[in-house]
Amino acid sequence: MSPQTTSTATAAQVTPPSEWQQFVSAFLKNKGATAGLLILVLMVLASALAPWIAPYDPNILHSGKEQLPPLLFGGTSEFIFGTDDAGRDTLSRILHGSRYSLLIGLASTLTAMVCGVALGLMAAFWPKTLGKVIMLVNDILMSYPGLLLAIIIAAILGPSMTNTVLAISLVCMPPFIRITRATALVELQKDYVTAARVMGAGLPRLMLITVLPNCMGPLIVQATMIFSTAILEAGAIGFLGLGVQPPSAEWGAMLGNARQYIQSNVWMAVFPGLAIFIAALSINLTGDGLRDALDPKLKQVS
């Protein structure tokens, strides 16, 4: 082997892993986060493929087969999860309901994140004027219980999927404002921001290209936590009849419909409740893994 080949091989051996490789390696070391991400991916795939993998149309009524028990409790293989009070297949409605629940959670999280980041950046760049007003309103919103405030807003706006997204987005916005403002204020004191200003960078460039990318780590972690919170709040709003309206299948609405049968046919409430629980748990586990992978110091402290 020539000396040049040996030096090339040695250089290849000592090449440090990239930031992406370090992130993936740190994330995969967390077994709970890996399992959570896997479950979440399976739920998203089931949601996307629901029209093809669901055994029945979620709104079709099977006459004479109302409130059938699931296969586990003595039912038939025709309806693995049983049927509801109208004779609709529970498994099909769970699969189609994931589309509404996950879509509401995702849309609410993205809306809250975009608006919260924008307001947080404005509060950081104009701390003595606009920042005081934004943080005052933000503190007022955070002083109310989030779920209660979301229910009140949804009740005022009226029952619909769009109003549910708006209500949850407004409630989930304050954490994004706080994190963005706090992180941006720290970044504004660093030398690279001063250098960008000296070089003539305009305000939009400073906010969106110079400062914002360095604030994304904690924001991504917060978004995963808000995602699970949004799904839980969407379920609560749907349970009260203020969200997606019948006959559309949505996990919270399915729970609300099953509450009157919970003592006689408990399985009608078990499966939609279990779906909400698994979705929220998998997202929280994924968020914990993202936190540890993006900021190893937090893992060492915890």
Side-chain angles (χ1 to χ4, degrees), residues 12-271:
Q13 292 176 358
V14 300
T15 301
S18 64
E19 292 185 4
W20 172 251
Q21 291 174 332
Q22 293 177 2
F23 168 78
V24 173
S25 176
F27 183 86
L28 294 179
K29 286 180 181 178
N30 190 327
K31 302 303 181 184
T34 305
L37 180 61
L38 178 61
I39 295 172
L40 182 60
V41 169
L42 291 177
M43 294 188 74
V44 172
L45 288 176
S47 171
L49 300 176
W52 295 276
I53 64 177
Y56 303 99
D57 185 290
N59 297 323
I60 191 172
L61 306 179
H62 301 273
S63 180
K65 298 181 179 179
E66 295 82 3
Q67 301 184 37
L68 292 180
L71 181 62
L72 188 63
F73 292 94
T76 64
S77 58
E78 184 181 5
F79 302 101
I80 298 177
F81 284 4
T83 59
D84 62 6
D85 58 334
R88 295 169 295 195
D89 180 50
T90 301
L91 175 58
S92 300
R93 291 181 66 78
I94 290 290
L95 290 173
H96 282 81
S98 63
R99 293 184 143 198
Y100 288 103
S101 297
L102 294 178
L103 180 59
I104 290 173
L106 181 60
S108 302
T109 302
L110 290 178
T111 303
M113 185 174 183
V114 171
C115 297
V117 167
L119 292 172
L121 286 175
M122 287 189 288
F125 275 80
W126 295 282
K128 296 181 180 180
T129 54
L130 189 58
K132 290 184 178 180
V133 177
I134 292 175
M135 296 312 297
L136 175 61
V137 176
N138 191 69
D139 291 339
I140 293 174
L141 289 176
M142 294 191 72
S143 65
Y144 285 91
L147 180 57
L148 178 60
L149 184 59
I151 292 173
I152 293 173
I153 296 172
I156 294 173
L157 295 177
S160 73
M161 179 175 172
T162 303
N163 292 340
T164 300
V165 171
L166 291 176
I168 298 175
S169 300
L170 183 60
V171 171
C172 294
M173 198 185 305
F176 287 114
I177 297 176
R178 274 187 172 277
I179 291 176
T180 304
R181 175 182 175 273
T183 311
L185 285 175
V186 173
E187 296 298 322
L188 286 173
Q189 306 302 319
K190 295 185 178 179
D191 293 339
Y192 75 92
V193 177
T194 304
R197 282 175 170 165
V198 171
M199 294 176 65
L203 187 59
R205 182 179 181 85
L206 281 175
M207 294 176 68
L208 302 177
I209 298 178
T210 305
V211 174
L212 180 58
N214 294 293
C215 303
M216 290 307 297
L219 287 173
I220 292 173
V221 175
Q222 182 65 35
T224 59
M225 303 304 177
I226 292 296
F227 189 11
S228 65
T229 301
I231 290 178
L232 293 174
E233 292 180 352
I237 292 174
F239 178 82
L240 297 175
L242 300 173
V244 178
Q245 295 300 292
S248 299
E250 191 269 330
W251 293 340
M254 292 175 65
L255 271 176
N257 182 63
R259 60 185 168 184
Q260 56 185 320
Y261 306 102
I262 199 167
Q263 291 185 340
S264 57
N265 300 325
V266 67
W267 59 80
M268 292 176 60
V270 166
F271 293 110

